[in-house]
Amino acid sequence: MLIVAERINASRKSIGEAIKAKDADFIRVEAKAQAAAGANYLDVNAGTFVGQEAEYLCWLAEVVQGVTDLPLCLDSPDAAAIAAALKKVKGRAMVNSITLEKRRLEGMLPLVKKYKTKIVALCQSDKGMANTINEKVSIARQIVEILTKEGVALDDIYIDPLIYPIATDTQSAVAALGAIEEIRQLFPGVHTIAGLTNISFGLPVRKLINRTFLVAAMAHGLDSAIIDPTDRELMASLIAAEAILARDKFCAGYITAYRKGKLS
């Protein structure tokens, strides 16, 4: 399971304040904690700073790379901010995200090709965000066809079906799960990815909903997730699910996690 660590996001109050103050030590602590907890990529987002996003995204990239060798996931819908930050990135980044929206596609695609990044593709078009299984799969199909035609490898594509709060749309999780399964069947080699936060919005005990959905999504073929790796119960559920779904040969990962005290 590929884990993109989500905590360095300007929408979180403490992170937003640290970015504004350019408190590098605070960001470094977050980066090191997520790396130690098992992240594969560290997401960096400065999206709340309209007009200054590029500046702060570049600053985040430099600060985070100063304390870890983990690759970055640059998180912004703004191609200009992504372009600026990619110049600061060491190694190969992931970009979050591209959509089927004409303007966004035209802005992001040249960057993906130039820097050979991995790319998160949202099931969203100029008509809006996809809601049903069919809508999600249709947009995913079009995005995959466009990206591969432009030379992007299937292994570098991460389709996000988009998750909505089940408190307001009780079919949201079911639609996402169905789309994940169908996309994996239609495009062997393409990855699926999702953030968990939205699914539980407006409900009590949100972490319970989040980790239950994660396990269900993994059973339907999800192989990447944008999550908080410092959430021990969530990570324990992920590790157990990998063992149950035969993704952990001889349960070696599960046993190692137990010995390191990660399951309690």
Side-chain angles (χ1 to χ4, degrees):
M1 189 73 170
L2 185 138
I3 299 168
V4 179
E6 68 180 6
R7 290 177 61 86
I8 303 176
N9 190 307
S11 65
R12 295 181 61 224
K13 183 179 179 181
S14 59
I15 294 295
E17 291 173 349
I19 294 172
K20 187 174 182 179
K22 289 200 171 179
D23 185 347
D25 287 341
F26 190 92
I27 300 299
R28 291 186 188 109
V29 169
E30 283 282 6
K32 289 191 286 187
Q34 291 184 110
N40 302 112
Y41 279 79
L42 295 179
D43 188 272
V44 287
N45 177 299
T48 61
F49 295 95
V50 179
Q52 295 178 285
E53 183 179 5
E55 174 193 345
Y56 284 125
L57 194 61
C58 289
W59 178 78
L60 282 174
E62 292 181 322
V63 170
V64 171
Q65 289 177 124
V67 293
T68 176
D69 292 327
L70 286 182
L72 299 182
C73 176
L74 302 176
D75 186 356
S76 172
D78 186 341
I82 294 292
L86 280 170
K87 295 176 182 177
K88 305 292 183 179
V89 170
K90 302 172 185 176
R92 195 167 179 229
M94 175 182 285
V95 169
N96 183 7
S97 58
I98 203 168
T99 68
L100 199 58
E101 295 165 291
K102 187 174 186 294
R103 182 176 178 181
R104 191 152 160 188
L105 187 64
E106 291 177 348
M108 292 292 188
L109 185 53
L111 298 174
V112 172
K113 292 170 63 178
K114 178 179 179 179
Y115 290 94
K116 301 187 185 304
T117 72
K118 292 182 179 293
I119 180 68
V120 175
L122 308 183
C123 291
Q124 181 172 327
S125 70
D126 286 311
K127 295 180 181 179
M129 296 182 288
N131 291 294
T132 67
I133 294 175
N134 288 341
E135 289 172 353
K136 294 175 189 293
V137 172
S138 175
I139 291 177
R141 185 195 301 275
Q142 294 175 72
I143 291 177
V144 170
E145 289 175 352
I146 290 169
L147 291 176
T148 53
K149 186 177 180 180
E150 292 292 332
V152 180
L154 289 175
D155 187 51
D156 290 334
I157 301 171
Y158 292 74
I159 301 293
D160 185 340
L162 293 181
I163 314 297
Y164 309 116
I166 56 172
T168 55
D169 179 0
T170 53
Q171 293 298 311
S172 172
V174 173
L177 295 175
I180 288 166
E181 186 166 15
E182 194 165 336
I183 289 165
R184 292 299 300 275
Q185 290 173 350
L186 285 172
F187 305 106
V190 166
H191 302 281
T192 52
I193 191 167
L196 304 183
T197 308
N198 281 349
I199 194 74
S200 61
F201 186 79
L203 294 174
V205 198
R206 293 184 63 182
K207 289 186 177 182
L208 174 60
I209 296 291
N210 292 346
R211 62 178 180 265
T212 302
F213 175 75
L214 175 62
V215 172
M218 290 173 67
H220 282 75
L222 187 77
D223 65 354
S224 315
I226 303 168
I227 61 175
D228 176 4
T230 67
D231 182 335
R232 290 175 60 86
E233 289 184 331
L234 179 66
M235 289 296 288
S237 295
L238 185 156
I239 292 165
E242 291 208 304
I244 291 168
L245 296 170
R247 298 185 187 180
D248 181 9
K249 193 172 183 179
F250 300 117
C251 300
Y254 183 86
I255 293 167
T256 298
Y258 168 73
R259 289 173 175 167
K260 291 183 177 179
K262 293 184 176 181
L263 303 182
S264 58

